[in-house]
Amino acid sequence: MRKAKPKKRQILPDPVFGDVKVTRFVNHLMYDGKKSIAFTIFYSALETVKAKLPNEEKSPLEIWKAALDNITPQVEVKSRRVGGATFQVPTEIRPDRKESVSMKNMILYSRKRGGKTMADKLAAEIVDAFNNQGGAFKRKEDMHRMAEANRAFAHFRF
C-alpha cells in the first residue's frame, strides 16, 4: 500500500450507559449528523423493549446486546475471480466488522418494518432478534447458509 493506514477514531461512550458500543450503534442510526435525535430514538426504543418484555430479568441494554449477538454473522462470502470464473468464497469476518455488520443489519431491517416511529420499529426488531427471529436474524442465517453451500471453494481464500 502506498499510503499509511488511517488512524482509528476514538469513539466516546454514550451519556446514559457509558458504553462505546451504544455510541457506535447510534452513529450508524444517525442521519445528517443529528446525533441527539438518534440517541433519543435509541433510548426510547430501549424503554419500549423494557415495556414489551416486563418479566425478563435482564436490563434493556443487556437484551439489546444479546439481540446483537444473535444476529452477528461468523462467516460471509466474498466474490473471487479465478481463471475467468467468479466464485463465492466463504471467509471469516474480522471482529470489528462482525459488530458493524450486525448493527447495520438491525437498523436496515428496523427501517423496513411497519410501525409508527423509528423507535417502535427498532424496539420490535430488538425483541425479534432477542427471540432469534425477524429480518436481521434471517439475514444472518442466509449468510451462513450461503457460506456453507460454497464451502467447496474455501481453498480459494485470499
Side-chain angles (χ1 to χ4, degrees):
M1 292 173 70
R2 293 174 188 270
K3 291 177 115 180
K5 283 257 189 219
K7 289 220 166 51
K8 283 279 182 193
R9 290 211 176 94
Q10 188 68 35
I11 296 178
L12 299 172
D14 76 299
V16 174
F17 300 109
D19 197 343
V20 176
K21 207 173 193 179
V22 171
T23 307
R24 202 169 282 135
F25 186 82
V26 166
N27 285 347
H28 287 304
L29 185 63
M30 174 173 54
Y31 268 140
D32 292 329
K34 298 190 183 288
K35 194 175 236 176
S36 57
I37 291 173
F39 269 123
T40 307
I41 289 169
F42 179 74
Y43 294 139
S44 56
L46 286 190
E47 289 299 316
T48 311
V49 166
K50 190 176 184 179
K52 282 187 177 182
L53 300 171
N55 55 356
E56 189 64 45
E57 65 273 355
K58 292 182 176 179
S59 71
L61 185 69
E62 289 170 337
I63 290 172
W64 172 73
K65 285 185 176 180
L68 268 184
D69 288 342
N70 287 346
I71 62 168
T72 301
Q74 304 302 316
V75 288
E76 67 181 347
V77 290
K78 288 189 171 182
S79 296
R80 170 86 197 253
R81 211 171 149 79
V82 179
T86 306
F87 296 110
Q88 296 287 319
V89 181
T91 53
E92 293 280 326
I93 310 180
R94 296 188 322 273
D96 55 332
R97 181 164 159 72
K98 275 184 197 176
E99 192 177 79
S100 180
V101 165
S102 63
M103 288 178 179
K104 285 176 182 175
N105 282 342
M106 182 179 273
I107 291 165
L108 175 76
Y109 285 99
S110 298
R111 288 191 176 131
K112 285 183 177 178
R113 283 182 93 94
K116 259 301 196 212
T117 63
M118 182 57 194
D120 292 342
K121 294 178 188 180
L122 183 59
E125 192 64 38
I126 290 169
V127 170
D128 276 356
F130 182 68
N131 296 324
N132 288 334
Q133 52 194 19
F137 184 76
K138 187 175 178 307
R139 169 73 180 217
K140 177 198 120 172
E141 293 294 306
D142 290 345
M143 285 175 87
H144 281 209
R145 204 172 302 117
M146 186 85 103
E148 185 63 34
N150 290 303
R151 206 174 62 197
F153 305 125
H155 64 281
F156 287 129
R157 218 174 261 143
F158 323 43

